[in-house]
């Protein structure tokens, strides 16, 4: 798979890449379409497509909506659900990238940006490992492969840190600060061989940040073990 993708050496920070804040202008928002047999919505999957149609419709008014689906059959079903719930397909684009669960924020890539002096931006992808929130739900092989498959689809180069990291475990203020939680990133079910200082090194080196702000525990009963997006978010 990786033969068609350019793997970059060094670190994003050393090459001038940074992770943008949430409010930075987007070309698109990426989603992964949920599967009825997945574990995310036990007994409630039938309520999900209508809610997704509402979300996609609003996002599509402003930017492209990119949707990962398993195959042509899943794309057909997704299109049917969206149309039947009043979501136009004009600005929605499907990609045959299979997933196990639907949480693209977690299993998707980190899009990082390098800005040249003339203002031109270069994109790259950080392909963190994904182990289904500490190995809670099997299998997760398709989810783990999403960033590399997206990189192939988009023709973007890839940095490969080879440690576990989920998108929902970090938040950024656009000025060099990353917010995260000890319960998640220091959990023994993520990267048991890494110390807190080593995790901080990866956050600085591969997200292009200068300061890490740690919170403690997440909310009770959260399968993500304290994702920071359940606790606090930066605003512009």
């Amino acid at each position: 798979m990786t033969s068609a993708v350019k793997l970059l050496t060094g670190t994003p920070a050393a090459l001038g890449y940074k992770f943008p804040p949430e409010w930075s202008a987007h070309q698109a928002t990426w989603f992964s379409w949920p599967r009825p047999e997945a574990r995310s919505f036990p007994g409630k999957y039938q309520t999900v497509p209508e809610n997704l149609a509402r979300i996609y419709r609003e996002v599509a008014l402003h930017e492209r909506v990119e949707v990962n689906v398993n195959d042509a059959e899943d794309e057909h079903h997704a299109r049917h659900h969206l149309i039947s719930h009043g979501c136009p397909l004009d600005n929605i684009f499907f990609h045959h990238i299979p997933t196990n669960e639907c949480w693209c924020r977690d299993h998707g890539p980190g899009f990082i940006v390098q800005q040249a002096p003339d203002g031109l931006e270069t994109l790259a992808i950080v392909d963190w490992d994904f182990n289904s929130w500490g190995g809670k739900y099997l299998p997760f092989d398709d989810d783990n492969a999403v960033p590399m498959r997206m990189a192939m689809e988009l023709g973007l180069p890839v940095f490969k840190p080879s440690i576990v990291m989920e998108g929902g475990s970090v938040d950024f203020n656009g000025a060099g600060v990353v917010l995260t939680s000890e319960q998640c990133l220091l959990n023994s079910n993520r990267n048991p061989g890494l110390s807190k200082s080593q995790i901080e090194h990866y956050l600085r080196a591969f997200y292009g940040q200068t300061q890490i702000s740690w919170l403690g525990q997440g909310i009770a009963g959260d399968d993500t073990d304290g994702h920071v997006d359940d606790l606090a978010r930066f605003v512009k």
Side-chain angles (χ1 to χ4, degrees):
M1 177 190 298
T2 57
S3 60
V5 172
K6 181 180 180 181
L7 291 175
L8 298 174
T9 57
T11 67
L15 296 175
Y17 286 92
K18 296 180 180 179
F19 192 90
E22 194 82 17
W23 53 86
S24 181
H26 296 88
Q27 293 180 344
T29 296
W30 283 77
F31 296 85
S32 294
W33 189 262
R35 302 167 61 182
E37 68 273 19
R39 301 169 184 263
S40 293
F41 307 101
K44 294 186 177 180
Y45 177 82
Q46 71 279 2
T47 69
V48 174
E50 181 177 359
N51 287 297
L52 285 178
R54 292 174 179 174
I55 294 169
Y56 290 10
R57 184 171 63 239
E58 293 302 315
V59 176
L61 293 174
H62 307 283
E63 60 196 46
R64 291 168 60 103
V65 173
E66 315 283 357
V67 186
N68 295 324
V69 292
N70 277 25
D71 49 32
E73 183 178 0
D74 274 4
E75 178 180 343
H76 172 77
H77 289 310
R79 287 177 177 273
H80 169 75
H81 283 301
L82 293 174
I83 292 172
S84 65
H85 291 299
C87 179
L89 301 180
D90 310 51
N91 211 21
I92 297 176
F93 304 88
F94 294 90
H95 306 266
H96 294 177
I97 297 177
T99 61
N100 304 106
E101 300 290 339
C102 66
W103 306 107
C104 195
R105 183 180 185 87
D106 288 344
H107 62 227
F111 286 102
I112 51 176
V113 181
Q114 179 193 64
Q115 191 163 39
D118 60 5
L120 291 178
E121 293 183 340
T122 301
L123 293 180
I125 274 176
V126 181
D127 178 14
W128 303 99
D129 290 346
F130 179 78
N131 72 348
S132 190
W133 309 282
K136 292 184 177 66
Y137 304 111
L138 301 176
F140 52 81
D141 53 330
D142 282 336
D143 283 350
N144 188 43
V146 166
M148 195 64 73
R149 288 171 173 157
M150 285 176 57
M152 293 176 66
E153 189 101 351
L154 297 172
L156 292 178
V158 172
F159 292 94
K160 183 71 175 168
S162 297
I163 74 163
V164 171
M165 184 78 65
E166 298 122 32
S169 66
V170 285
D171 195 51
F172 304 86
N173 76 343
V177 180
V178 54
L179 184 68
T180 189
S181 77
E182 294 177 343
Q183 183 187 4
C184 183
L185 289 199
L186 303 185
N187 200 307
S188 61
N189 63 15
R190 299 311 205 274
N191 299 291
L194 297 182
S195 66
K196 185 175 184 178
S197 63
Q198 288 172 317
I199 293 290
E200 289 186 339
H201 163 75
Y202 279 98
L203 291 171
R204 291 188 176 97
F206 286 89
Y207 275 135
Q209 305 300 296
T210 56
Q211 179 181 334
I212 295 91
S213 293
W214 292 91
L215 300 181
Q217 299 292 302
I219 60 176
D222 175 17
D223 283 359
T224 69
D225 301 314
H227 270 194
V228 77
D229 64 6
D230 280 339
L231 299 172
R233 303 298 302 277
F234 287 119
V235 294
K236 186 175 182 181

